Amino acid sequence: MVISVPPYQRYQNQDVKILYIDEEIFSREKILRVLNRRFSDVHVAIDGEEGFQLFKQIQPDIIIVDINMSKINGLEMIESIRNLNKKVQFIVTSGNDDQEIFIQSIEYNVNHFILKPIDLEKLLSAIHKSINHIQLERELSNQKNLANAILDAQDNLLFVIEQDDIVEFNQAFSLFTGLKKRQELHKVICISELFVEDPNYFYPKNKSKWIEEFFQNRRNAAKVKWKGPKEKETIYYMKAAQIPGGKQTLFVCTEITVLEEEHSQNNRLAMMDPLTKSYNRLRFEEILSSEIRRSKRYEHPFSIILFDVDHFNHINQYFGNQRGDEVLATISTIVQQRIRESDIFARWGGDELILLTPETNSHGAVVLAESIRTIINSFTFPQIGSITCSFGIAEYSACKKKTELIMEAGEALKISKQNGRNCVTVNKS
């Protein structure tokens, strides 16, 4: 079923036609009320299939579409519409912050991307930006400077390169780099100096040949981290395309700094134990595997220290689980204040905690473990008093497997328990 909304008498932007596509009835009705009060020519479809048919009938100026639809893939619908109309403005909404979806949306020339629940101010701002773009395009359609005006209206950084010279760029690029349009040609080297070295982003091995290296990626696209004149680091998704009929290449850079920060934060949270504010077991095992490979390659020693709280079950039983959690959190703080920045600390499970000490043999690990044991033993825990911990240490040696190393530390910890607790034991295997 396709729903057409009857026009009201007074509206701004009466010549703008909007198509809204969303399968969620509550979201659809909410946004529809907002659109009805502001625009006279609004059309609504309840799924992507009907939305595509309605698009062909009414030829809207702006399409607002939820990307996560069941009957038809939102990205496929956008691609189909783009094949018919290159100029229609797309505002995509999504309840999923999947970075791949965002990047694919960029590749289909989506103009705005808004996460659900929809912030109405962001939506209206995106609509009015699209309206401004549409009106500008209409006003300049018969003028020679149409291309430059459209480029300057974009938030994206755009620049054109020909034979290692920047021959054209938009205002956003000028603001970011400090380059002025009144200057004639700008050598590509000025762009190469923008790149910030980071293993997570494209960084040229030879800056003078960054374009050649960039095009080695068959997608002709990459995430880059750039530093502007004010030393502010910004992350962009940069895509390049050859301009037909010449030797010029257009580069389009879409800022994804906020998205990358959110993605990194989500990754950090997924790796952390919320109670102890340390790494979780899964992340520790990943780091341990990496350290084993590094130790094999460079023949550097390292050790692991496995320890737990003595009589922890009694603490939970007599003082409650909340006090037990507070004990673990306090011990975690003590440990993290004592260890080096290079040491890796994690919650292994329950009340078991674990340390990885790079460049440290078993003797050095004993010194560290004894200092931690002493600090914990001398600390007075609120409403509980004195608490002790037992420690087991294992040093890595060539050809030892990860499971073997952890098992050796566990066996050493068991011996500490058998020897009366509150002590440190080294596995001699």
Side-chain angles (χ1 to χ4, degrees):
M1 178 181 67
V2 177
I3 306 171
S4 292
V5 180
Y8 286 72
Q9 294 182 354
R10 284 180 156 185
Y11 299 93
Q12 294 180 342
N13 308 304
Q14 294 189 43
D15 57 344
V16 175
K17 194 179 298 182
I18 296 178
L19 171 60
Y20 177 44
I21 308 168
D22 197 329
E23 290 182 346
E24 296 181 13
I25 185 170
F26 296 111
S27 177
R28 190 170 65 236
E29 290 178 353
K30 175 184 175 182
I31 300 302
L32 186 58
R33 286 194 297 269
V34 174
L35 296 176
N36 284 342
R37 290 195 294 265
R38 292 165 173 82
F39 304 97
S40 62
D41 201 352
V42 179
H43 302 262
V44 183
I46 63 174
D47 60 46
E49 183 176 355
E50 293 181 352
F52 181 69
Q53 296 301 322
L54 190 55
F55 159 79
K56 291 191 291 185
Q57 295 173 22
I58 67 172
Q59 292 296 310
D61 302 296
I62 300 173
I63 299 177
I64 305 170
V65 57
D66 179 61
I67 204 73
N68 307 115
M69 295 187 290
S70 57
K71 289 189 176 181
I72 181 173
N73 182 282
L75 290 173
E76 291 178 358
M77 187 200 72
I78 292 171
E79 183 182 18
S80 299
I81 291 176
R82 277 285 181 239
N83 290 333
L84 299 175
N85 188 321
K86 303 295 184 184
K87 296 183 178 181
V88 62
Q89 292 280 304
F90 269 106
I91 300 173
V92 164
T93 65
S94 174
N96 188 343
D97 65 347
D98 188 341
Q99 191 177 27
E100 186 61 28
I101 291 178
F102 178 79
I103 290 176
Q104 286 180 302
S105 298
I106 294 173
E107 292 178 345
Y108 289 129
N109 295 323
V110 167
N111 304 94
H112 304 280
F113 191 97
I114 301 174
L115 288 175
K116 285 187 171 182
I118 297 173
D119 184 318
L120 294 180
E121 288 187 6
K122 289 184 178 179
L123 176 62
L124 292 175
S125 175
I127 292 174
H128 286 294
K129 284 184 178 180
S130 293
I131 290 173
N132 290 338
H133 179 90
I134 292 166
Q135 291 175 340
L136 178 64
E137 193 170 42
R138 289 173 178 173
E139 291 170 2
L140 301 178
S141 60
N142 296 319
Q143 300 180 26
K144 292 182 180 180
N145 62 344
L146 172 63
N148 285 337
I150 293 176
L151 291 180
D152 286 340
Q154 300 292 315
D155 293 330
N156 297 338
L157 274 58
L158 297 99
F159 58 96
V160 176
I161 287 180
E162 181 177 3
Q163 296 180 349
D164 292 341
D165 288 319
I166 304 173
V167 296
E168 189 56 76
F169 51 87
N170 71 342
Q171 185 177 3
F173 183 84
S174 176
L175 292 173
F176 180 78
T177 61
L179 294 177
K180 305 299 181 183
K181 286 200 170 187
R182 62 176 177 272
Q183 295 171 280
E184 294 182 358
L185 294 178
H186 310 276
K187 292 295 181 183
V188 171
I189 188 66
C190 73
I191 294 181
S192 67
E193 296 303 320
L194 298 174
F195 290 100
V196 176
E197 187 171 5
D198 188 313
N200 297 312
Y201 304 100
F202 169 75
Y203 184 79
K205 296 178 181 178
N206 185 339
K207 287 188 175 183
S208 64
K209 296 183 178 180
W210 74 266
I211 298 178
E212 182 180 327
E213 292 185 33
F214 180 84
F215 278 106
Q216 289 175 0
N217 179 354
R218 294 182 179 179
R219 294 180 64 187
N220 296 340
K223 291 188 292 184
V224 300
K225 181 183 285 189
W226 277 357
K227 180 181 290 186
K230 295 182 180 180
E231 300 299 307
K232 180 183 178 182
E233 293 185 358
T234 308
I235 302 170
Y236 291 98
Y237 180 74
M238 183 164 70
K239 189 174 182 181
Q242 298 294 330
I243 297 177
K247 298 181 179 180
Q248 295 183 339
T249 304
L250 171 66
F251 287 83
V252 180
C253 303
T254 303
E255 184 177 354
I256 58 172
T257 307
V258 173
L259 188 71
E260 286 289 284
E261 290 174 351
E262 291 177 352
H263 182 68
S264 298
Q265 178 66 12
N266 289 338
N267 283 342
R268 283 193 295 270
L269 292 175
M271 295 186 298
M272 302 301 289
D273 173 64
L275 175 62
T276 61
K277 302 298 188 293
S278 64
Y279 286 123
N280 58 27
R281 181 170 182 157
L282 178 62
R283 179 55 178 160
F284 183 87
E285 290 196 19
E286 291 175 352
I287 296 173
L288 178 57
S289 298
S290 176
E291 187 64 23
I292 288 174
R293 291 192 296 269
R294 195 178 78 90
S295 182
K296 286 180 179 179
R297 181 176 181 181
Y298 298 106
E299 298 182 354
H300 290 173
F302 77 88
S303 301
I304 62 171
I305 305 171
L306 182 65
F307 62 104
D308 66 7
V309 181
D310 295 329
H311 303 297
F312 187 70
N313 288 336
H314 292 171
I315 295 173
N316 282 333
Q317 181 178 353
Y318 291 110
F319 297 98
N321 291 335
Q322 182 176 347
R323 292 297 178 196
D325 288 348
E326 291 172 359
V327 166
L328 290 177
T330 301
I331 290 176
S332 173
T333 301
I334 291 172
V335 173
Q336 294 189 63
Q337 289 177 347
R338 172 61 186 84
I339 61 178
R340 304 168 300 178
E341 187 175 344
S342 59
D343 295 331
I344 305 300
F345 177 52
R347 186 180 184 184
W348 188 245
D351 66 318
E352 282 191 325
L353 304 167
I354 194 166
L355 270 167
L356 187 155
T357 58
E359 311 288 340
T360 306
N361 58 24
S362 59
H363 176 74
V366 168
V367 174
L368 175 61
E370 281 288 356
S371 69
I372 294 173
R373 184 195 65 79
T374 301
I375 296 171
I376 294 172
N377 190 33
S378 61
F379 188 85
T380 300
F381 291 80
Q383 299 185 17
I384 297 176
S386 178
I387 289 175
T388 62
C389 289
S390 299
F391 296 75
I393 295 173
E395 180 181 343
Y396 177 77
S397 58
C399 300
K400 189 177 292 185
K401 295 181 180 179
K402 177 173 66 174
T403 53
E404 294 173 341
L405 183 66
I406 295 172
M407 187 180 299
E408 289 178 4
E411 291 171 352
L413 174 58
K414 188 182 298 182
I415 294 173
S416 289
K417 296 291 188 182
Q418 294 170 352
N419 290 339
R421 297 181 172 83
N422 192 25
C423 61
V424 177
T425 302
V426 179
N427 194 310
K428 301 297 184 180
S429 300

